[in-house]
Amino acid sequence: MTQTPGVTAPTYDVTQPLDIDFAGAFADITEEERAQQLAVRQFVQDEVLPVIDGYWERYEVPMDLVKRMAELDFLRDGVDVPGFPKISKMAEGLAAMEMSRGDGSVTTICGVQGGLALRSIVMLGSDEQIEKYAGPMARGEILGAFALTEPTHGSDSVALETSAVKETRDGVEGYVINGEKKWIGFGSIGDISVVWARGEDGQVHGYIVPQDTPGYEATTIQGKLSLRAIHQAHIVLNDVFVPADSLLPKSRSFKDTGRVLFATRLGVAWGAVGQAIACYEAAVAYSKQRVQFGRPLAASQMVQERLTKMLSILTQMQLLVKQMTRLDEAEQLTGPQASLAKYTCTRGAREIAAIARDLLGGNGILLENRVARHFADIEALHTYEGTESMQALIIGREITGTSAFA
């Protein structure tokens, strides 16, 4: 860094938490919820931030961190599992915020393993399936994938073409699954996939498919510039046979698939808040340290205005997710409200990341300055679990009473 003669800038660390809560949005959380938040923050500070840039740059999944998350009970994403302590929805959201403040890929690992795969089994599975899979998945002994999206069916996932046909092989009743899936986290390096397929009744059902089943071929997608510390797969299912007890019995239609997705949408909004916090923290620290034209950037009116804008957006995001989570706790949260949270927070995170990247100048594209990784990862967050356009149409239908999509 070039310094101006006679001006000494203070040292700074862009990774230090500022505990930002300007409007006191979280002033009334319980001691247990605050403890959960701080436990995740400590894990992020001590174990995620020192290594994550390397994993991200190498396009490598941090399996050691996955193991540690399981040991610390951070892997189930708040899903209620027999034998594990219950976690409030507020604590779950705060945990997602703190984990995302560290890294978007690490949070997505929790979202895939716990929020989607494990939740599908706990919510829609039989007692036997829950007993077999829930505990081992919470402990990280079994890694799961949620195989819904297809190469030609993303936003219109309800129109999926993967099929499941009843068949008996060697005296065993079951299903033969054929089709393709794309963008499936842990789909190529996990143990099981919850595959969503259309049955002979025309309805969408979930099936637990071991990834070593003959006919299950998964390829890790290459060339990603976002969420590089988790692998997504392109899966081809060619006459994959699974026994009848692989069917999730409570998955009777796509509405049940939607129940799983609805339960995770608010978590995506919390994740956006966390990544926005990371960018804001880095911008504040950098502005205090970086000297240009004989003074720190923080002494510039333009910089102070930018930091104020970032804080304004961030505070609105925090208040929104807090209120929506209170509604969720009261079982009053609606689908359009969850969509509004996701729509607002990912848009806000994008704007904050862009301002931070610009404020850091050329240094903003360096991984060591923290913003670039989040800048890239927020783009994926903005798209997955329902694009901005789809969220807008869900909200628009609520506003107008008219659906603009089939």
Side-chain angles (χ1 to χ4, degrees):
M1 183 186 72
T2 302
Q3 294 283 10
T4 302
V7 177
T8 302
T11 58
Y12 78 106
D13 183 349
V14 297
T15 69
Q16 287 304 303
L18 298 180
D19 205 19
I20 303 153
D21 187 10
F22 200 78
F26 308 127
D28 63 346
I29 63 174
T30 66
E31 291 183 5
E32 291 79 7
E33 289 163 348
R34 181 64 171 172
Q36 178 77 2
Q37 178 188 5
L38 294 179
V40 176
R41 179 182 295 176
Q42 195 66 51
F43 167 69
V44 165
Q45 290 300 118
D46 294 346
E47 303 187 48
V48 176
L49 291 177
V51 300
I52 196 61
D53 284 346
Y55 282 107
W56 197 94
E57 190 166 22
R58 293 190 303 270
Y59 192 30
E60 180 182 340
V61 180
M63 297 306 295
D64 287 344
L65 292 180
V66 175
K67 180 181 179 181
R68 281 292 291 149
M69 284 189 284
E71 291 172 351
L72 295 167
D73 192 23
F74 296 158
L75 199 54
R76 60 189 168 105
D77 201 36
V79 176
D80 191 10
V81 174
F84 287 75
K86 291 184 179 293
I87 300 174
S88 74
K89 292 184 182 298
M90 185 63 68
E92 178 185 343
L94 292 166
M97 180 181 76
E98 291 293 340
M99 197 71 78
S100 297
R101 177 187 160 273
D103 182 66
S105 297
V106 174
T107 309
T108 302
I109 288 170
C110 298
V112 169
Q113 172 76 0
L116 291 172
L118 175 59
R119 179 174 272 116
S120 296
I121 294 172
V122 169
M123 184 180 289
L124 305 174
S126 65
D127 291 342
E128 293 76 15
Q129 289 169 334
I130 293 171
E131 183 178 359
K132 180 177 180 180
Y133 291 108
M137 291 181 73
R139 292 189 294 270
E141 298 163 4
I142 295 175
L143 296 181
F146 181 87
L148 173 63
T149 303
E150 298 182 351
T152 56
H153 295 286
S155 293
D156 65 339
S157 54
V158 68
L160 62 85
E161 298 176 47
T162 298
S163 64
V165 178
K166 289 183 178 179
E167 186 174 307
T168 300
R169 289 188 179 179
D170 300 324
V172 178
E173 294 183 355
Y175 302 89
V176 175
I177 304 175
N178 284 281
E180 293 186 46
K181 300 294 180 178
K182 192 174 183 181
W183 298 113
I184 310 305
F186 277 164
S188 57
I189 61 171
D191 299 296
I192 62 170
S193 294
V194 177
V195 175
W196 299 92
R198 195 171 303 281
E200 293 172 283
D201 59 356
Q203 298 296 331
V204 174
H205 308 280
Y207 304 82
I208 301 174
V209 181
Q211 292 183 11
D212 59 1
T213 304
Y216 181 103
E217 300 292 338
T219 305
T220 298
I221 295 171
Q222 300 296 323
K224 280 199 313 171
L225 297 179
S226 184
L227 295 181
R228 289 174 55 83
I230 181 175
H231 289 170
Q232 275 90 15
H234 183 170
I235 301 169
V236 176
L237 301 139
N238 186 15
D239 287 337
V240 172
F241 178 80
V242 293
D245 61 5
S246 297
L247 171 69
L248 297 176
K250 297 177 186 176
S251 62
R252 303 181 181 94
S253 72
F254 191 80
K255 288 184 178 179
D256 295 313
T257 320
R259 288 168 55 203
V260 177
L261 295 171
F262 170 75
T264 63
R265 191 162 296 146
L266 198 53
V268 177
W270 276 101
V273 175
Q275 296 211 54
I277 287 172
C279 294
Y280 176 76
E281 287 174 339
V284 170
Y286 187 85
S287 71
K288 292 180 178 179
Q289 179 267 355
R290 178 69 167 175
V291 173
Q292 293 287 278
F293 303 106
R295 62 179 183 175
L297 290 180
S300 166
Q301 292 181 5
M302 180 179 292
V303 170
Q304 291 189 9
E305 191 277 333
R306 290 182 181 184
L307 293 174
T308 299
K309 183 175 183 180
M310 294 165 72
L311 180 60
S312 172
I313 297 168
L314 177 57
T315 300
Q316 293 172 62
M317 293 163 61
Q318 290 176 317
L319 290 167
L320 180 60
V321 293
K322 189 268 184 78
Q323 174 60 16
M324 294 303 188
T325 300
R326 291 300 188 212
L327 290 174
D328 196 19
E329 290 175 328
E331 298 184 352
Q332 296 176 358
L333 183 70
T334 68
Q337 286 173 327
S339 291
L340 183 64
K342 203 267 186 181
Y343 177 94
T344 303
C345 291
T346 60
R347 284 172 63 94
R350 280 179 114 191
E351 186 170 2
I352 288 172
I355 296 171
R357 213 296 307 152
D358 186 62
L359 192 151
L360 267 66
N363 290 322
I365 67 171
L366 295 174
L367 285 176
E368 67 185 55
N369 288 319
R370 197 179 181 191
V371 172
R373 175 165 45 82
H374 289 287
F375 185 89
D377 287 350
I378 287 168
E379 289 304 298
L381 189 72
H382 189 64
T383 299
Y384 70 41
E385 298 210 32
T387 64
E388 177 185 68
S389 297
M390 290 307 301
Q391 305 302 338
L393 293 178
I394 291 170
I395 299 164
R397 180 176 59 190
E398 179 73 6
I399 295 169
T400 65
T402 302
S403 177
F405 60 95

